[in-house]
Amino acid sequence: MTPLSTPDLDERVDVGEHLAADRPWQTVVWDDPVNLMSYVTHVFREYFGYPKSQAHSLMLAVHTNGHAVVAEGAREQMELHTRAMHDYGLWATVRKAPE
């Protein structure tokens, strides 16, 4: 029977790097010259199930600020949301949530 050995530990590992990798991702919808504000509100209500006031608020952020974060979570889910926004004709991207 061979004796068990403990693995060598790399004490240089920065825990902050690992935590940063666990940051959530965001689906961002961008302003465009094509879609009506009422349509964007409709999409947010229909797809995300947001109440009218929240959907309207997000639409106004898109219109006045040029973009709005409409969802936050796991990367795969945000990619699905982004694809759905494209299917509705909206401009959307996925990005890592800021620290």
Side-chain angles (χ1 to χ4, degrees):
M1 179 186 265
T2 60
L4 295 175
S5 62
T6 55
D8 293 333
L9 297 176
D10 186 353
E11 295 178 16
R12 297 171 294 153
V13 173
D14 183 6
V15 175
E17 282 181 26
H18 178 67
L19 293 176
D22 290 341
R23 278 193 329 237
W25 291 77
Q26 298 175 328
T27 298
V28 181
V29 173
W30 299 88
D31 193 21
D32 66 61
V34 178
N35 292 296
L36 297 174
M37 291 188 287
S38 59
Y39 177 69
V40 174
T41 301
H42 165 76
V43 170
F44 294 164
R45 291 191 73 199
E46 182 174 294
Y47 179 77
F48 292 106
Y50 290 142
K52 187 175 183 176
S53 60
Q54 185 178 7
H56 183 74
S57 210
L58 287 168
M59 175 280 297
L60 284 177
V62 170
H63 181 68
T64 56
N65 302 331
H67 70 283
V69 174
V70 296
E72 192 169 287
R75 181 178 182 175
E76 294 78 15
Q77 185 63 50
M78 296 308 101
E79 289 172 350
L80 290 173
H81 290 331
T82 298
R83 169 70 80 164
M85 294 300 97
H86 293 169
D87 291 345
Y88 278 103
L90 301 182
W91 295 353
T93 57
V94 174
R95 72 177 182 196
K96 204 168 248 246
E99 293 184 46

